[in-house]
Amino acid sequence: PLYSSAASDVYKRQPMGLLNIDEFYTPLLTFLDNTVSHGFLATATREMLLDASTPNELLDALEAEL
């Protein structure tokens, strides 16, 4: 994977969230999914980026990862 180094260990298991209102970030998420399927991005790295269409859903998803 492109995103793997000793420095990246600091960020492991730290979820990030996108508030995907009106599917604004859907093209980015699709791109990231494609990078996983082509081997450029690790699945575990992609799974760290959560998305939801409402603030409450996103907060719930982030909280579930902690």
Side-chain angles (χ1 to χ4, degrees), residues 40-65:
F40 291 104
L41 184 70
T43 300
T45 303
R46 170 63 183 94
E47 290 173 348
M48 288 176 18
L49 182 60
L50 308 175
D51 68 285
S53 59
T54 69
N56 285 340
E57 288 174 356
L58 184 56
L59 289 173
D60 289 345
L62 288 167
E63 191 174 78
E65 293 294 316

PDB file of all heavy atoms in Angstrom, residues 40-65:
ATOM      1  N   PHE A  40      -3.785   0.056  -4.503  1.00  0.00           N
ATOM      2  CA  PHE A  40      -3.017   1.257  -4.189  1.00  0.00           C
ATOM      3  C   PHE A  40      -3.256   1.763  -2.762  1.00  0.00           C
ATOM      4  O   PHE A  40      -2.482   2.577  -2.264  1.00  0.00           O
ATOM      5  CB  PHE A  40      -3.338   2.380  -5.170  1.00  0.00           C
ATOM      6  CG  PHE A  40      -2.824   2.117  -6.555  1.00  0.00           C
ATOM      7  CD1 PHE A  40      -3.692   1.728  -7.558  1.00  0.00           C
ATOM      8  CD2 PHE A  40      -1.480   2.242  -6.842  1.00  0.00           C
ATOM      9  CE1 PHE A  40      -3.218   1.474  -8.835  1.00  0.00           C
ATOM     10  CE2 PHE A  40      -0.995   1.993  -8.109  1.00  0.00           C
ATOM     11  CZ  PHE A  40      -1.866   1.598  -9.113  1.00  0.00           C
ATOM     12  N   LEU A  41      -4.312   1.325  -2.142  1.00  0.00           N
ATOM     13  CA  LEU A  41      -4.654   1.758  -0.797  1.00  0.00           C
ATOM     14  C   LEU A  41      -5.088   0.530  -0.007  1.00  0.00           C
ATOM     15  O   LEU A  41      -5.847  -0.306  -0.514  1.00  0.00           O
ATOM     16  CB  LEU A  41      -5.805   2.784  -0.845  1.00  0.00           C
ATOM     17  CG  LEU A  41      -6.237   3.429   0.459  1.00  0.00           C
ATOM     18  CD1 LEU A  41      -5.143   4.383   0.959  1.00  0.00           C
ATOM     19  CD2 LEU A  41      -7.534   4.218   0.254  1.00  0.00           C
ATOM     20  N   ALA A  42      -4.602   0.413   1.195  1.00  0.00           N
ATOM     21  CA  ALA A  42      -4.951  -0.740   2.033  1.00  0.00           C
ATOM     22  C   ALA A  42      -6.407  -0.652   2.488  1.00  0.00           C
ATOM     23  O   ALA A  42      -6.906   0.442   2.778  1.00  0.00           O
ATOM     24  CB  ALA A  42      -4.038  -0.792   3.251  1.00  0.00           C
ATOM     25  N   THR A  43      -7.063  -1.780   2.542  1.00  0.00           N
ATOM     26  CA  THR A  43      -8.450  -1.829   2.999  1.00  0.00           C
ATOM     27  C   THR A  43      -8.583  -1.225   4.394  1.00  0.00           C
ATOM     28  O   THR A  43      -9.517  -0.464   4.657  1.00  0.00           O
ATOM     29  CB  THR A  43      -8.959  -3.283   3.002  1.00  0.00           C
ATOM     30  OG1 THR A  43      -8.864  -3.801   1.672  1.00  0.00           O
ATOM     31  CG2 THR A  43     -10.394  -3.369   3.476  1.00  0.00           C
ATOM     32  N   ALA A  44      -7.657  -1.542   5.275  1.00  0.00           N
ATOM     33  CA  ALA A  44      -7.715  -1.016   6.644  1.00  0.00           C
ATOM     34  C   ALA A  44      -7.633   0.509   6.656  1.00  0.00           C
ATOM     35  O   ALA A  44      -8.279   1.166   7.476  1.00  0.00           O
ATOM     36  CB  ALA A  44      -6.596  -1.610   7.478  1.00  0.00           C
ATOM     37  N   THR A  45      -6.860   1.063   5.758  1.00  0.00           N
ATOM     38  CA  THR A  45      -6.750   2.519   5.671  1.00  0.00           C
ATOM     39  C   THR A  45      -8.057   3.115   5.187  1.00  0.00           C
ATOM     40  O   THR A  45      -8.550   4.107   5.741  1.00  0.00           O
ATOM     41  CB  THR A  45      -5.600   2.923   4.729  1.00  0.00           C
ATOM     42  OG1 THR A  45      -4.387   2.328   5.204  1.00  0.00           O
ATOM     43  CG2 THR A  45      -5.442   4.426   4.662  1.00  0.00           C
ATOM     44  N   ARG A  46      -8.650   2.514   4.175  1.00  0.00           N
ATOM     45  CA  ARG A  46      -9.933   3.006   3.646  1.00  0.00           C
ATOM     46  C   ARG A  46     -11.020   2.924   4.706  1.00  0.00           C
ATOM     47  O   ARG A  46     -11.871   3.817   4.812  1.00  0.00           O
ATOM     48  CB  ARG A  46     -10.326   2.210   2.399  1.00  0.00           C
ATOM     49  CG  ARG A  46     -11.738   2.448   1.895  1.00  0.00           C
ATOM     50  CD  ARG A  46     -11.932   3.892   1.462  1.00  0.00           C
ATOM     51  NE  ARG A  46     -13.290   4.124   1.049  1.00  0.00           N
ATOM     52  CZ  ARG A  46     -14.248   4.584   1.843  1.00  0.00           C
ATOM     53  NH1 ARG A  46     -13.997   4.837   3.124  1.00  0.00           N
ATOM     54  NH2 ARG A  46     -15.457   4.793   1.374  1.00  0.00           N
ATOM     55  N   GLU A  47     -11.003   1.870   5.488  1.00  0.00           N
ATOM     56  CA  GLU A  47     -12.028   1.684   6.515  1.00  0.00           C
ATOM     57  C   GLU A  47     -11.940   2.710   7.636  1.00  0.00           C
ATOM     58  O   GLU A  47     -12.888   2.874   8.397  1.00  0.00           O
ATOM     59  CB  GLU A  47     -11.951   0.266   7.077  1.00  0.00           C
ATOM     60  CG  GLU A  47     -12.406  -0.779   6.081  1.00  0.00           C
ATOM     61  CD  GLU A  47     -12.175  -2.192   6.548  1.00  0.00           C
ATOM     62  OE1 GLU A  47     -11.456  -2.409   7.564  1.00  0.00           O
ATOM     63  OE2 GLU A  47     -12.704  -3.107   5.889  1.00  0.00           O
ATOM     64  N   MET A  48     -10.821   3.413   7.727  1.00  0.00           N
ATOM     65  CA  MET A  48     -10.680   4.457   8.744  1.00  0.00           C
ATOM     66  C   MET A  48     -11.491   5.706   8.386  1.00  0.00           C
ATOM     67  O   MET A  48     -11.768   6.530   9.249  1.00  0.00           O
ATOM     68  CB  MET A  48      -9.212   4.853   8.903  1.00  0.00           C
ATOM     69  CG  MET A  48      -8.394   3.805   9.579  1.00  0.00           C
ATOM     70  SD  MET A  48      -6.606   4.141   9.700  1.00  0.00           S
ATOM     71  CE  MET A  48      -6.434   5.860   9.423  1.00  0.00           C
ATOM     72  N   LEU A  49     -11.862   5.849   7.130  1.00  0.00           N
ATOM     73  CA  LEU A  49     -12.626   7.015   6.690  1.00  0.00           C
ATOM     74  C   LEU A  49     -14.103   6.650   6.652  1.00  0.00           C
ATOM     75  O   LEU A  49     -14.557   5.898   5.791  1.00  0.00           O
ATOM     76  CB  LEU A  49     -12.153   7.485   5.317  1.00  0.00           C
ATOM     77  CG  LEU A  49     -12.840   8.731   4.775  1.00  0.00           C
ATOM     78  CD1 LEU A  49     -12.637   9.919   5.706  1.00  0.00           C
ATOM     79  CD2 LEU A  49     -12.306   9.061   3.385  1.00  0.00           C
ATOM     80  N   LEU A  50     -14.839   7.183   7.595  1.00  0.00           N
ATOM     81  CA  LEU A  50     -16.267   6.901   7.707  1.00  0.00           C
ATOM     82  C   LEU A  50     -17.051   8.044   7.074  1.00  0.00           C
ATOM     83  O   LEU A  50     -16.580   9.180   7.022  1.00  0.00           O
ATOM     84  CB  LEU A  50     -16.651   6.762   9.178  1.00  0.00           C
ATOM     85  CG  LEU A  50     -15.810   5.787   9.999  1.00  0.00           C
ATOM     86  CD1 LEU A  50     -16.206   5.844  11.462  1.00  0.00           C
ATOM     87  CD2 LEU A  50     -15.936   4.390   9.454  1.00  0.00           C
ATOM     88  N   ASP A  51     -18.248   7.743   6.621  1.00  0.00           N
ATOM     89  CA  ASP A  51     -19.092   8.804   6.068  1.00  0.00           C
ATOM     90  C   ASP A  51     -20.538   8.573   6.484  1.00  0.00           C
ATOM     91  O   ASP A  51     -20.937   7.458   6.773  1.00  0.00           O
ATOM     92  CB  ASP A  51     -18.975   8.869   4.545  1.00  0.00           C
ATOM     93  CG  ASP A  51     -19.580   7.668   3.858  1.00  0.00           C
ATOM     94  OD1 ASP A  51     -18.956   6.590   3.883  1.00  0.00           O
ATOM     95  OD2 ASP A  51     -20.679   7.802   3.297  1.00  0.00           O
ATOM     96  N   ALA A  52     -21.261   9.664   6.538  1.00  0.00           N
ATOM     97  CA  ALA A  52     -22.688   9.618   6.866  1.00  0.00           C
ATOM     98  C   ALA A  52     -23.326  10.890   6.331  1.00  0.00           C
ATOM     99  O   ALA A  52     -22.649  11.887   6.079  1.00  0.00           O
ATOM    100  CB  ALA A  52     -22.884   9.506   8.367  1.00  0.00           C
ATOM    101  N   SER A  53     -24.638  10.838   6.170  1.00  0.00           N
ATOM    102  CA  SER A  53     -25.340  11.983   5.590  1.00  0.00           C
ATOM    103  C   SER A  53     -25.876  12.966   6.628  1.00  0.00           C
ATOM    104  O   SER A  53     -26.326  14.048   6.271  1.00  0.00           O
ATOM    105  CB  SER A  53     -26.475  11.496   4.686  1.00  0.00           C
ATOM    106  OG  SER A  53     -27.372  10.703   5.432  1.00  0.00           O
ATOM    107  N   THR A  54     -25.823  12.590   7.911  1.00  0.00           N
ATOM    108  CA  THR A  54     -26.261  13.510   8.956  1.00  0.00           C
ATOM    109  C   THR A  54     -25.192  13.568  10.051  1.00  0.00           C
ATOM    110  O   THR A  54     -24.456  12.588  10.258  1.00  0.00           O
ATOM    111  CB  THR A  54     -27.601  13.086   9.599  1.00  0.00           C
ATOM    112  OG1 THR A  54     -27.387  11.890  10.355  1.00  0.00           O
ATOM    113  CG2 THR A  54     -28.693  12.891   8.560  1.00  0.00           C
ATOM    114  N   PRO A  55     -25.124  14.685  10.749  1.00  0.00           N
ATOM    115  CA  PRO A  55     -24.138  14.787  11.834  1.00  0.00           C
ATOM    116  C   PRO A  55     -24.311  13.704  12.901  1.00  0.00           C
ATOM    117  O   PRO A  55     -23.317  13.125  13.357  1.00  0.00           O
ATOM    118  CB  PRO A  55     -24.389  16.180  12.410  1.00  0.00           C
ATOM    119  CG  PRO A  55     -24.975  16.961  11.293  1.00  0.00           C
ATOM    120  CD  PRO A  55     -25.808  15.977  10.536  1.00  0.00           C
ATOM    121  N   ASN A  56     -25.537  13.409  13.279  1.00  0.00           N
ATOM    122  CA  ASN A  56     -25.757  12.391  14.311  1.00  0.00           C
ATOM    123  C   ASN A  56     -25.296  11.009  13.866  1.00  0.00           C
ATOM    124  O   ASN A  56     -24.703  10.267  14.639  1.00  0.00           O
ATOM    125  CB  ASN A  56     -27.223  12.353  14.725  1.00  0.00           C
ATOM    126  CG  ASN A  56     -27.599  13.533  15.598  1.00  0.00           C
ATOM    127  OD1 ASN A  56     -26.734  14.172  16.188  1.00  0.00           O
ATOM    128  ND2 ASN A  56     -28.874  13.839  15.663  1.00  0.00           N
ATOM    129  N   GLU A  57     -25.576  10.653  12.608  1.00  0.00           N
ATOM    130  CA  GLU A  57     -25.121   9.361  12.086  1.00  0.00           C
ATOM    131  C   GLU A  57     -23.600   9.293  12.074  1.00  0.00           C
ATOM    132  O   GLU A  57     -23.017   8.256  12.412  1.00  0.00           O
ATOM    133  CB  GLU A  57     -25.645   9.139  10.666  1.00  0.00           C
ATOM    134  CG  GLU A  57     -27.120   8.857  10.568  1.00  0.00           C
ATOM    135  CD  GLU A  57     -27.581   8.782   9.113  1.00  0.00           C
ATOM    136  OE1 GLU A  57     -26.780   9.027   8.187  1.00  0.00           O
ATOM    137  OE2 GLU A  57     -28.768   8.477   8.908  1.00  0.00           O
ATOM    138  N   LEU A  58     -22.970  10.387  11.684  1.00  0.00           N
ATOM    139  CA  LEU A  58     -21.509  10.400  11.631  1.00  0.00           C
ATOM    140  C   LEU A  58     -20.917  10.294  13.033  1.00  0.00           C
ATOM    141  O   LEU A  58     -19.983   9.516  13.265  1.00  0.00           O
ATOM    142  CB  LEU A  58     -21.006  11.665  10.931  1.00  0.00           C
ATOM    143  CG  LEU A  58     -19.504  11.750  10.728  1.00  0.00           C
ATOM    144  CD1 LEU A  58     -18.972  10.544   9.963  1.00  0.00           C
ATOM    145  CD2 LEU A  58     -19.145  13.039  10.012  1.00  0.00           C
ATOM    146  N   LEU A  59     -21.467  11.033  13.971  1.00  0.00           N
ATOM    147  CA  LEU A  59     -20.976  10.950  15.346  1.00  0.00           C
ATOM    148  C   LEU A  59     -21.171   9.550  15.920  1.00  0.00           C
ATOM    149  O   LEU A  59     -20.292   9.023  16.609  1.00  0.00           O
ATOM    150  CB  LEU A  59     -21.665  11.987  16.221  1.00  0.00           C
ATOM    151  CG  LEU A  59     -21.255  13.438  15.951  1.00  0.00           C
ATOM    152  CD1 LEU A  59     -22.132  14.385  16.751  1.00  0.00           C
ATOM    153  CD2 LEU A  59     -19.786  13.653  16.257  1.00  0.00           C
ATOM    154  N   ASP A  60     -22.312   8.928  15.635  1.00  0.00           N
ATOM    155  CA  ASP A  60     -22.556   7.562  16.100  1.00  0.00           C
ATOM    156  C   ASP A  60     -21.543   6.593  15.500  1.00  0.00           C
ATOM    157  O   ASP A  60     -21.017   5.722  16.199  1.00  0.00           O
ATOM    158  CB  ASP A  60     -23.975   7.116  15.746  1.00  0.00           C
ATOM    159  CG  ASP A  60     -25.047   7.801  16.569  1.00  0.00           C
ATOM    160  OD1 ASP A  60     -24.702   8.411  17.614  1.00  0.00           O
ATOM    161  OD2 ASP A  60     -26.225   7.749  16.156  1.00  0.00           O
ATOM    162  N   ALA A  61     -21.263   6.747  14.204  1.00  0.00           N
ATOM    163  CA  ALA A  61     -20.301   5.859  13.538  1.00  0.00           C
ATOM    164  C   ALA A  61     -18.901   6.054  14.115  1.00  0.00           C
ATOM    165  O   ALA A  61     -18.184   5.068  14.354  1.00  0.00           O
ATOM    166  CB  ALA A  61     -20.303   6.119  12.030  1.00  0.00           C
ATOM    167  N   LEU A  62     -18.517   7.299  14.326  1.00  0.00           N
ATOM    168  CA  LEU A  62     -17.195   7.568  14.895  1.00  0.00           C
ATOM    169  C   LEU A  62     -17.094   7.029  16.319  1.00  0.00           C
ATOM    170  O   LEU A  62     -16.086   6.428  16.688  1.00  0.00           O
ATOM    171  CB  LEU A  62     -16.910   9.072  14.870  1.00  0.00           C
ATOM    172  CG  LEU A  62     -16.633   9.663  13.488  1.00  0.00           C
ATOM    173  CD1 LEU A  62     -16.683  11.185  13.552  1.00  0.00           C
ATOM    174  CD2 LEU A  62     -15.300   9.173  12.953  1.00  0.00           C
ATOM    175  N   GLU A  63     -18.131   7.224  17.099  1.00  0.00           N
ATOM    176  CA  GLU A  63     -18.136   6.749  18.468  1.00  0.00           C
ATOM    177  C   GLU A  63     -18.055   5.227  18.527  1.00  0.00           C
ATOM    178  O   GLU A  63     -17.388   4.661  19.400  1.00  0.00           O
ATOM    179  CB  GLU A  63     -19.405   7.238  19.185  1.00  0.00           C
ATOM    180  CG  GLU A  63     -19.370   7.015  20.665  1.00  0.00           C
ATOM    181  CD  GLU A  63     -20.569   7.654  21.340  1.00  0.00           C
ATOM    182  OE1 GLU A  63     -21.671   7.059  21.285  1.00  0.00           O
ATOM    183  OE2 GLU A  63     -20.386   8.741  21.915  1.00  0.00           O
ATOM    184  N   ALA A  64     -18.701   4.559  17.591  1.00  0.00           N
ATOM    185  CA  ALA A  64     -18.662   3.092  17.555  1.00  0.00           C
ATOM    186  C   ALA A  64     -17.270   2.559  17.269  1.00  0.00           C
ATOM    187  O   ALA A  64     -16.958   1.425  17.639  1.00  0.00           O
ATOM    188  CB  ALA A  64     -19.651   2.582  16.503  1.00  0.00           C
ATOM    189  N   GLU A  65     -16.441   3.364  16.634  1.00  0.00           N
ATOM    190  CA  GLU A  65     -15.074   2.931  16.318  1.00  0.00           C
ATOM    191  C   GLU A  65     -14.097   3.136  17.452  1.00  0.00           C
ATOM    192  O   GLU A  65     -12.982   2.650  17.414  1.00  0.00           O
ATOM    193  CB  GLU A  65     -14.564   3.677  15.073  1.00  0.00           C
ATOM    194  CG  GLU A  65     -15.302   3.323  13.796  1.00  0.00           C
ATOM    195  CD  GLU A  65     -15.063   1.877  13.406  1.00  0.00           C
ATOM    196  OE1 GLU A  65     -13.915   1.410  13.471  1.00  0.00           O
ATOM    197  OE2 GLU A  65     -16.038   1.205  13.015  1.00  0.00           O
TER     198      GLU A  65
END
